């Protein structure tokens, strides 16, 4: 037992004496959280809009005021006329243009309907879509208020509610993904590097010739990373709770247990990579390209899986982070218990066991 | 009394025979030189003797244990030093001693005593708190050797222990090896510096997986009518080559 403790103490010396390792372990999670929390947002604010109101009657003026009063839109500094809008888009001074034709109030009164034109800059389609739906919402709302005056046309009024994240805050979407990303990075990347480093320096040879068993060597190498990763999860959750108000609605114990499962899964992947490579650089390349990229792109972290082509949807099934994300989003944001995420948990457990078996077997062959 | 007994030891990798039925014995307290060109099968042989690689055929008894059946017992009774003097560069001298003592199951008290002894012997007390990365290569080499002997193994395997160090340090290092052997520790050493073979009690020369010569350096020189071990080696290597060509 003291042999084993000595091994772990040595591993902590490695970690605490290497500035780069420390930075990745403790600096990166905080920086990532702040970046994702503040910089990356799906919601829109202060969109530059120009409204060409060719009627300028009582009703159209009220519509214009209503749009500009919302926090999402801001009138562009330069006032445009119809022939000028294209130039505004090209220059990038406006993201949206609304054109209200002549005789707005009059037509509305007479025909019961009227058309307005909405143009958006779709260079970034996601933003364009969001802007459009915000505008539509305001116009619909305005029309509904105006309707009683117009007469007795039949109307279906949808009453909408956004469940779980009513303010549509992106940070609530990102924090679970960030936990997955950081755990992958710390566990898989760092363990594959630390094991291949022993191979590169030649100390692995000495360890293998010693009475230590291969399993003791592996466990001794990964246990410190397991502990530190777990610490990382807790600190991200606390930080997210107090700086961004990201809730943990479900059971904290269940959440931490699931995180532990994912940590072991990532560690097993790290060991697997290290048995396949003998240089730190290769290990790093494989971890970054083979693990981090799928974790970011194919897990549903940022891009929804359901809108991917079928082939990619199938590929996403083998990305552990996809299942982990479903689980922790369920627990943190929806507040569900194990009865809703047992299937995902089972899949993740199966994957973890498979990775562990393959990597331990590989490690023995490599002796 | 023999501490290493090897009989027709063979290792094949697919169709390739890396070690081809080698047989030899090493007695207690002997300095046994294991020579051969790169690719001759030295490393494979050492890996089998240290319990890292299972033999395909044949028997190797190291310190009374069969390496194929009891590799764990073998590992406990041997010391090993690789050509890279593998110490942890980011750990201090004292921490390295403590770590390696620990993995061989030495008690803390014993490690303490051993550390003092070792630092005395190498005159390294002043550097005990320095990290390995700040030590010159010669010091690292001596330290790695002493650490391989920390758990008082009956046999110590040295895999090219003098690579990259200057001639004077090499000479001092061989003095250390001979001093250790005189206390009864068996030293099994590989090298490709032929002049170092002169320091060994007996030398074996491996060519293409087989042991082509095995005797004391002086008898070998007589046998091959050579002035130095280098000449012996060159003659053997040529012989191996011509035999291959004629076959």
């Amino acid at each position: 037992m003291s042999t084993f403790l000595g091994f772990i103490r040595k591993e902590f010396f490695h970690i605490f004496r290497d500035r780069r390792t420390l930075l990745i372990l403790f600096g990166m999670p905080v920086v990532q959280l702040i970046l994702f929390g503040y910089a990356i947002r799906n919601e829109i604010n202060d969109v530059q809009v120009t409204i060409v109101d060719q009627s300028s009657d009582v009703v159209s003026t009220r519509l214009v005021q209503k749009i500009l009063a919302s926090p999402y839109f801001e009138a562009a500094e330069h006032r445009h006329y119809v022939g000028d809008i294209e130039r505004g888009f090209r220059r990038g001074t406006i993201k949206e243009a609304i054109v209200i034709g002549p005789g707005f109030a009059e037509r509305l009164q007479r025909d019961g309907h009227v058309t307005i034109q909405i143009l958006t800059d779709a260079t970034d389609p996601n933003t364009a879509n969001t802007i459009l739906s915000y505008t539509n919402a305001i116009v619909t709302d305005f029309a509904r208020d105006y309707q009683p005056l117009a007469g007795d046309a039949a109307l279906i009024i949808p009453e909408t509610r956004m469940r779980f994240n009513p303010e549509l805050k992106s940070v609530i979407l990102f924090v679970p993904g960030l936990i997955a990303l950081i755990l992958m990075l710390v566990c898989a990347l760092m363990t594959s590097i630390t094991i291949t480093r022993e191979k590169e320096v030649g100390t692995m040879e000495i360890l293998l010739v010693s009475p230590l068993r291969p399993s003791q060597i592996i466990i001794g190498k990964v246990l410190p990373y397991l502990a530190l990763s777990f610490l990382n999860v807790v600190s991200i959750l606390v930080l997210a709770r107090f700086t961004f108000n990201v809730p943990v609605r479900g059971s904290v114990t269940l959440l931490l247990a699931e995180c532990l499962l994912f940590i072991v899964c990532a560690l097993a992947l790290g060991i697997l990579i290290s048995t396949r490579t003998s240089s730190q650089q290769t290990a790093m390349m494989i971890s970054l390209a083979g693990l981090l990229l799928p974790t970011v792109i194919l897990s549903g972290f940022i891009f929804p899986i359901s809108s991917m082509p079928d082939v990619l949807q199938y590929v996403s099934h083998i990305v552990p982070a996809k299942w982990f994300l479903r689980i922790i989003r369920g627990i943190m944001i929806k507040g569900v218990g194990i009865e809703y995420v047992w299937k995902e948990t089972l899949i993740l457990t199966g994957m973890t066991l498979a990775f562990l078996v393959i990597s331990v077997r590989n490690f023995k062959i490599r002796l | 009394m023999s501490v290493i007994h090897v009989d027709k030891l063979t290792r094949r990798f697919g169709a390739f025979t890396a070690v081809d039925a080698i047989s030899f014995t090493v007695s207690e307290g002997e300095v046994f030189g294991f020579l051969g060109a790169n690719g001759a099968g030295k490393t494979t042989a050492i890996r089998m003797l240290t319990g890292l690689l299972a033999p395909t055929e044949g028997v190797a008894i190291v310190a009374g244990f069969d390496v194929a059946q009891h590799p764990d017992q073998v590992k406990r009774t041997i010391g090993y030093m690789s050509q890279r003097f593998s110490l942890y560069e980011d750990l201090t001298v004292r921490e390295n001693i403590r770590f390696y003592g620990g993995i061989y199951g030495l008690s803390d008290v014993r490690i303490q005593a051993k550390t003092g002894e070792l630092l005395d012997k190498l005159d390294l007390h002043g550097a005990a708190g320095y990290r390995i990365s700040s030590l010159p290569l010669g010091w690292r080499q001596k330290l790695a050797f002493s650490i391989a002997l920390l758990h008082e193994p009956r046999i110590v395997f040295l895999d090219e222990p003098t690579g990259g160090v200057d001639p004077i340090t090499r000479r001092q290092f061989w003095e250390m090896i001979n001093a250790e052997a005189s206390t009864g520790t068996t030293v099994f050493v590989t090298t490709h510096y032929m002049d170092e073979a002169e320091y060994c009690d007996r030398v074996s020369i491996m060519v293409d997986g087989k042991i082509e010569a095995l005797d004391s350096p002086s008898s070998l020189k007589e046998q091959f009518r050579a002035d130095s071990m280098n000449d012996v080696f060159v003659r053997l290597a040529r012989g191996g080559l011509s035999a291959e060509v004629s076959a």
Side-chain angles (χ1 to χ4, degrees), chain A residues 35-277:
Chain A
L35 267 181
F36 278 105
Y38 284 114
I40 302 183
R41 282 167 186 252
N42 278 343
E43 63 261 40
I44 54 164
N45 278 314
D46 298 334
V47 172
Q48 296 292 311
V49 61
T50 190
I51 304 178
V52 184
D53 183 0
Q54 294 169 330
S55 309
S56 289
D57 53 42
V58 189
V59 187
S60 72
T61 310
R62 263 170 53 197
L63 177 60
V64 172
Q65 280 167 352
K66 189 172 169 82
I67 291 169
L68 293 181
S70 91
Y72 312 119
F73 299 103
E74 194 179 72
E77 244 172 71
H78 181 72
R79 288 187 66 106
H80 293 73
Y81 50 94
V82 176
D84 190 24
I85 288 172
E86 196 58 29
R87 213 155 54 103
F89 279 130
R90 288 230 174 91
R91 276 190 179 165
T93 49
I94 52 169
K95 288 279 173 211
E96 185 184 38
I98 301 172
V99 182
I100 302 173
F104 186 78
E106 196 191 317
R107 285 192 196 184
L108 197 59
Q109 196 72 47
R110 192 184 62 213
D111 307 336
H113 62 85
V114 69
T115 309
I116 62 169
Q117 205 178 14
I118 301 170
L119 301 108
T120 52
D121 174 1
T123 317
D124 174 355
N126 282 335
T127 315
N129 254 330
T130 317
I131 292 172
L132 192 62
S133 61
Y134 279 37
T135 317
N136 269 332
I138 297 173
V139 174
T140 313
D141 196 44
F142 178 82
R144 196 194 307 150
D145 288 345
Y146 185 77
Q147 209 63 42
L149 309 174
D152 51 4
L155 254 187
I156 297 170
I157 303 172
E159 209 168 86
T160 57
R161 261 180 85 198
M162 297 290 211
R163 289 285 287 129
F164 307 121
N165 185 5
E167 295 156 78
L168 302 181
K169 285 199 297 193
S170 325
V171 71
I172 289 185
L173 175 77
F174 286 136
V175 165
L178 201 59
I179 293 176
L181 184 69
I182 286 169
L183 288 184
M184 251 315 156
L185 199 71
V186 170
C187 298
L189 181 72
M190 300 306 278
T191 42
S192 66
I193 288 179
T194 177
I195 295 177
T196 44
R197 182 165 64 186
E198 298 240 11
K199 284 193 194 178
E200 238 178 49
V201 183
T203 44
M204 189 54 94
E205 231 176 310
I206 311 280
L207 296 181
L208 291 174
V209 177
S210 82
L212 286 176
R213 305 187 154 277
S215 57
Q216 284 179 308
I217 298 174
I218 294 188
I219 295 173
K221 294 240 37 129
V222 303
L223 211 60
Y225 288 95
L226 193 146
L228 292 175
S229 310
F230 196 71
L231 203 72
N232 255 332
V233 170
V234 174
S235 51
I236 293 173
L237 286 175
V238 170
L239 207 65
R241 173 79 188 77
F242 291 105
T243 47
F244 298 109
N245 252 322
V246 177
V248 178
R249 299 204 173 101
S251 151
V252 175
T253 322
L254 180 64
L255 180 67
L256 292 180
E258 297 277 6
C259 287
L260 209 59
L261 175 65
F262 188 66
I263 290 174
V264 176
C265 182
L267 288 175
L269 277 170
I271 298 168
L272 190 60
I273 291 172
S274 68
T275 60
R276 291 269 157 197
T277 52

Side-chain angles (χ1 to χ4, degrees), chain A residues 216-345:
Chain A
Q216 284 179 308
I217 298 174
I218 294 188
I219 295 173
K221 294 240 37 129
V222 303
L223 211 60
Y225 288 95
L226 193 146
L228 292 175
S229 310
F230 196 71
L231 203 72
N232 255 332
V233 170
V234 174
S235 51
I236 293 173
L237 286 175
V238 170
L239 207 65
R241 173 79 188 77
F242 291 105
T243 47
F244 298 109
N245 252 322
V246 177
V248 178
R249 299 204 173 101
S251 151
V252 175
T253 322
L254 180 64
L255 180 67
L256 292 180
E258 297 277 6
C259 287
L260 209 59
L261 175 65
F262 188 66
I263 290 174
V264 176
C265 182
L267 288 175
L269 277 170
I271 298 168
L272 190 60
I273 291 172
S274 68
T275 60
R276 291 269 157 197
T277 52
S278 46
S279 87
Q280 293 182 62
Q281 216 147 25
T282 326
M284 197 186 314
M285 289 302 293
I286 296 181
S287 305
L288 287 175
L291 296 180
L292 281 190
L293 228 53
T295 301
V296 173
I297 295 169
L298 291 177
S299 67
F301 172 20
I302 297 174
F303 312 106
I305 294 173
S306 55
S307 49
M308 290 175 192
D310 285 351
V311 182
L312 282 184
Q313 292 199 29
Y314 287 124
V315 176
S316 77
H317 288 324
I318 59 164
V319 178
K322 170 192 165 164
W323 305 104
F324 177 63
L325 259 185
R326 282 204 198 172
I327 296 171
I328 59 169
R329 277 193 183 141
I331 299 172
M332 287 177 67
I333 301 165
K334 296 186 190 166
V336 299
I338 186 77
E339 64 273 18
Y340 287 93
V341 291
W342 65 269
K343 219 168 75 188
E344 285 84 354
T345 309

Side-chain angles (χ1 to χ4, degrees), chain B residues 6-129:
Chain B
V6 175
D7 189 27
K8 296 202 181 65
L9 192 67
T10 302
R11 173 73 203 198
R12 289 190 199 95
F13 295 102
F16 171 66
T17 308
V19 173
D20 193 358
I22 58 171
S23 303
F24 60 89
T25 53
V26 180
S27 0
E28 186 132 37
E30 193 176 8
V31 178
F32 188 83
F34 200 61
L35 275 55
N38 286 331
K42 275 180 305 175
T43 308
T44 310
I46 277 215
R47 286 167 83 83
M48 285 193 280
L49 293 179
T50 51
L52 281 186
L53 195 68
T56 316
E57 274 162 34
V59 183
I61 312 283
V62 173
F65 299 106
D66 187 325
V67 293
Q69 261 125 53
H70 306 287
D72 290 342
Q73 263 96 335
V74 170
K75 286 178 181 179
R76 237 176 278 279
T77 44
I78 61 169
Y80 178 73
M81 174 188 166
S82 82
Q83 50 191 331
R84 286 183 279 185
F85 324 144
S86 313
L87 301 166
Y88 290 100
E89 299 214 338
D90 52 346
L91 264 54
T92 65
V93 172
R94 195 182 287 280
E95 284 159 358
N96 266 291
I97 300 173
R98 181 163 186 194
F99 173 71
Y100 281 115
I103 64 173
Y104 278 94
L106 268 54
S107 70
D108 283 354
V109 182
R110 187 103 185 283
I111 292 174
Q112 283 280 317
K114 277 274 169 191
T115 306
E117 232 173 79
L118 197 157
L119 293 176
D120 280 341
K121 199 172 83 185
L122 298 179
D123 198 17
L124 268 176
H125 269 291

Side-chain angles (χ1 to χ4, degrees), chain B residues 97-159:
Chain B
I97 300 173
R98 181 163 186 194
F99 173 71
Y100 281 115
I103 64 173
Y104 278 94
L106 268 54
S107 70
D108 283 354
V109 182
R110 187 103 185 283
I111 292 174
Q112 283 280 317
K114 277 274 169 191
T115 306
E117 232 173 79
L118 197 157
L119 293 176
D120 280 341
K121 199 172 83 185
L122 298 179
D123 198 17
L124 268 176
H125 269 291
Y130 288 1
R131 294 197 189 163
I132 299 296
S133 53
S134 63
L135 296 188
L137 209 56
W139 291 23
R140 287 193 212 183
Q141 178 200 35
K142 286 176 195 159
L143 186 62
F145 180 59
S146 306
I147 284 178
L149 294 168
L150 207 61
H151 57 293
E152 297 171 2
R154 285 183 65 194
I155 309 162
V156 59
F157 289 86
L158 309 176
D159 190 6

